[in-house]
Amino acid sequence: MSVATTARPTTAARRRPRTTQEGERPSVRSRVLAGVVMVLVALYFLVPIYWLVVAATKSTADLFGTPGFWFADLQLGQNLVDLSTYDGGIFWRWMLNSLVYSGLGSVLMTLVSLASGYALAIYRFRGRAFVIALVLGSMLVPQTVLAQPIYQLLVEIGLNNTMLGVLLPTIAYPFGVLLAFTYAQASVPQEIVEAARLDGAGEVRTFFSIGLRMLSTGGVTILLFAFIASWNNFMLPLLVLSDTRLQPVTVGLSGWSQAAITVPGLQTLVVVGALLSVVPIIAVFLSLQRFWKSGLSAGAVKM
């Protein structure tokens, strides 16, 4: 007579995470902990934006006389009019300057980064490992440390207080070069480059006809990072530009913030201007998110 027995799972088996078609499923505790961390991180970044939106709708008196996280009398329309008319509407000139510095600068920065990363990945030459290490090491140097030497060089060649003096130093982007190098290693097969050479294509034509197309996803990711870095650039334009009509919005609003000590009404304009200055970054981020998300995840796997 046989006795049917039911095997009970061991403790280790009960604690083992369940797997799904997508992979291992984390435990409930891990998912709750991850959710709490994500909520805290989201609050850390979103609370200042919320305060900025609320503060932009207040008058100068309400800005300092009412709770910071609650609305008062809505004055957003009047604040926008004051911002647009103050000092001849120079705020919109600063926004245009920022778009030029960030738009044109990020495109040039991306093109140089892709060409440099492509060259490091495709060509084998003596000292290649040293150059890659040099690019990696340059990422550790803070931009504020380099601002003063770059300013001295620009003064020597006569490019201080010019838009070109702000654009030229931003073309060198070590993080973009390293990211392009990683993409090129995995996305541009050496056999295709050799086939193009056998067909008579030159190195420049091979890069623009084949390399750039294969690096397009990584290029969008580099473009997004470069745009944000250029938009937030502060120290170099502050040193290089003495003409207020050439300054980007970050430097212009900083000047207004310092002048608000003697002109209290400027504090409200600084808040409204800061809110408007975030809009281009959000627009670029949302319009390119489909490309940079795939590019960033692909780059992370390839690294």
Side-chain angles (χ1 to χ4, degrees), residues 113-145:
S113 298
L114 290 177
S116 303
Y118 173 86
L120 289 174
I122 297 300
Y123 303 117
R124 300 292 185 268
F125 55 89
R126 182 176 298 179
R128 174 173 171 268
F130 175 75
V131 174
I132 296 173
L134 196 64
V135 173
L136 184 61
S138 64
M139 293 172 55
L140 305 178
V141 181
Q143 292 298 316
T144 52
V145 175

Side-chain angles (χ1 to χ4, degrees), residues 175-193:
F175 177 71
V177 174
L178 192 63
L179 201 57
F181 166 70
T182 306
Y183 278 114
Q185 273 192 316
S187 304
V188 184
Q190 193 75 30
E191 294 78 9
I192 293 182
V193 178

Side-chain angles (χ1 to χ4, degrees), residues 80 82-97 247-249 252-253 256 269-270 272-277:
L80 290 174
D82 294 340
L83 180 70
S84 302
T85 57
Y86 187 82
D87 199 8
I90 195 171
F91 172 78
W92 297 110
R93 176 62 186 265
W94 292 340
M95 289 288 285
L96 179 62
N97 293 339
Q247 292 174 346
V249 67
L253 290 179
W256 276 5
L269 302 187
V270 170
V272 180
L275 178 63
L276 293 181
S277 68

Side-chain angles (χ1 to χ4, degrees), residues 206-225:
T206 302
F207 169 68
F208 282 100
S209 302
I210 298 176
L212 273 185
R213 294 185 179 182
M214 292 184 171
L215 295 173
S216 57
T217 304
V220 173
T221 306
I222 297 173
L223 180 68
L224 179 63
F225 283 115

